[in-house]
Amino acid sequence: MGISATELAEAPTGSHEQPEGKKLAGRSPTQIALQRLRKDKLAVVCGIIVLLMILAAVFAPVICNILNIYPTTATIPYDPSKVLHFGGASFGLPKQGPPEHGYWAAHPLGLAPGTAVDNLARLLYGLRTSLLVASIATIASILIGVVLGLIAGFSRGWLDRIIMFVTDLFLSFPFILGALAMAPILVAHFQHNLNTLARVQLFSLIFILVIFGWMGLTRLIRGQVLSLREREFVMAAQVMGVPTSRILFKELLPNLVAPIVVATSLSLPGYVTAEAGLSYLGIGLTGTPSLGQTINDAQSYWQQYPLYLWAPVITITVLVLALNLLGDSVRDAFDPRTRR
């Protein structure tokens, strides 16, 4: 038996009565997750760190112009022989600033030995390159993973089997082997034009990261769609003759925001690390300033010039740690069952 509207209206109100002046308002899962993130102090601190690094990367040219510092040998306006030692035990080290002298206001992090480019400028441009590569690779791999996962989970049958076979095929191919195979081919084809080689290396690195980075999300989205497609709202849409594309992107996709946001937050630090690692190995970027390339150049000076090595190492560590902790907070905010 139910309660009639009259009985409900005449029912006495006790301690459950809504206080006057306060109104109940429905909130979406995304709004609830954002509210949890705002209350998470660790997420706020990590978000601020990531935001500051993004701003430093975006405005790297402006900062370099203001400080009058230069990231490449082609842009420095001075003769390297006038600012570097080219003789004796300090061969290639700066004549002013670290490591042999104190703080140098004109070059806050000193000059790179052998090339005389400014370390701070190279750090800012390296951060810019890492975030650019990681952002494009994340967006592209998320798009591919989501679309293929939606199609595989909703279609089932032969199309699902083909997509999953291709997914497993890419999963079985070692990512590092693809990068190792592509690097010498590109260098051999474009070694006579360094500018073109730098652009080709940038695009090929993004391509490698994307082509081997979409499979995990495809499997995750497919699993979610397999359960969602049996829900009443999807079956009702099918009975009403709603086009498949509309069911996929208007009915199912809004219910997949949480796993997509979590996958995005966890992919970014992975791609930053991958870009730095490949550039350090010399199979990523060689003509564009990058953090991994700077670490590779600095490792031979780690005893007499540790700042040259530690600056990019600390930058990568702080960036990846902040992105990982922020990703964990985003995951917890969208999934209360895993909340710390």
Side-chain angles (χ1 to χ4, degrees):
M1 293 179 63
I3 301 176
S4 66
T6 305
E7 291 172 338
L8 184 61
E10 293 175 350
T13 56
S15 58
H16 298 293
E17 184 179 3
Q18 186 68 18
E20 188 176 353
K22 288 188 175 180
K23 293 182 180 180
L24 290 175
R27 290 180 299 172
S28 68
T30 302
Q31 290 175 319
I32 295 173
L34 291 177
Q35 186 181 33
R36 288 189 185 127
L37 276 177
R38 284 195 295 270
K39 293 180 179 178
D40 190 338
K41 295 179 181 177
L42 182 62
V44 172
V45 172
C46 291
I48 292 173
I49 292 174
V50 172
L51 179 61
L52 290 176
M53 289 200 172
I54 291 174
L55 291 176
V58 170
F59 295 104
V62 178
I63 297 172
C64 290
N65 285 335
I66 292 174
L67 298 178
N68 197 29
I69 52 180
Y70 305 91
T72 62
T73 54
T75 56
I76 56 175
Y78 41 78
D79 184 359
S81 62
K82 294 183 179 178
V83 293
L84 299 178
H85 289 289
F86 284 103
S90 301
F91 186 83
L93 294 179
K95 294 179 178 178
Q96 297 183 53
E100 297 180 337
H101 307 280
Y103 177 74
W104 191 5
H107 302 281
L109 293 182
L111 296 176
T115 59
V117 298
D118 185 89
N119 289 333
L120 177 59
R122 197 162 182 84
L123 187 70
L124 291 173
Y125 272 86
L127 186 63
R128 182 186 177 94
T129 303
S130 292
L131 289 176
L132 175 67
V133 170
S135 301
I136 295 176
T138 298
I139 293 171
S141 59
I142 292 293
L143 286 175
I144 296 173
V146 168
V147 171
L148 291 181
L150 277 171
I151 295 173
F154 189 77
S155 63
R156 293 192 288 193
W158 64 270
L159 186 55
D160 178 30
R161 288 194 291 274
I162 290 176
I163 292 175
M164 294 318 298
F165 173 77
V166 174
T167 303
D168 293 337
L169 185 66
F170 275 88
L171 278 173
S172 64
F173 193 81
F175 148 76
I176 192 70
L177 186 60
L180 282 169
M182 183 171 286
I185 297 173
L186 294 177
V187 172
H189 277 79
F190 299 100
Q191 59 182 340
H192 301 297
N193 191 332
L194 295 182
N195 291 330
T196 304
L197 176 62
R199 287 195 296 271
V200 170
Q201 283 180 329
L202 179 65
F203 290 122
S204 64
L205 177 60
I206 295 173
F207 174 77
I208 286 289
L209 294 177
V210 171
I211 208 69
F212 292 106
W214 55 271
M215 296 82 74
L217 185 59
T218 297
R219 296 177 72 92
L220 176 65
I221 295 297
R222 174 181 176 271
Q224 296 285 326
V225 173
L226 284 175
S227 62
L228 285 173
R229 64 164 295 157
E230 305 300 333
R231 302 280 291 273
E232 290 81 2
F233 70 97
V234 177
M235 299 177 69
Q238 288 178 300
V239 171
M240 293 170 64
V242 177
T244 302
S245 59
R246 184 177 176 82
I247 295 176
L248 290 178
F249 296 105
K250 296 289 186 182
E251 304 294 339
L252 291 174
L253 191 58
N255 291 281
L256 300 170
V257 170
I260 293 172
V261 170
V262 173
T264 303
S265 63
L266 297 179
S267 295
L268 272 171
Y271 286 133
V272 169
T273 308
E275 183 278 323
L278 292 176
S279 298
Y280 172 78
L281 294 173
I283 55 177
L285 304 175
T286 57
T288 306
S290 74
L291 297 177
Q293 188 184 70
T294 304
I295 294 173
N296 188 10
D297 295 338
Q299 62 180 349
S300 56
Y301 295 93
W302 70 274
Q303 283 187 317
Q304 64 267 45
Y305 196 175
L307 178 63
Y308 185 34
L309 175 65
W310 286 118
V313 170
I314 292 173
T315 301
I316 289 180
T317 304
V318 171
L319 176 61
V320 173
L321 182 63
L323 285 171
N324 274 323
L325 292 177
L326 183 61
D328 289 343
S329 297
V330 170
R331 181 197 60 201
D332 293 346
F334 278 91
D335 186 1
R337 292 172 299 179
T338 60
R339 191 168 183 78
R340 293 186 292 267

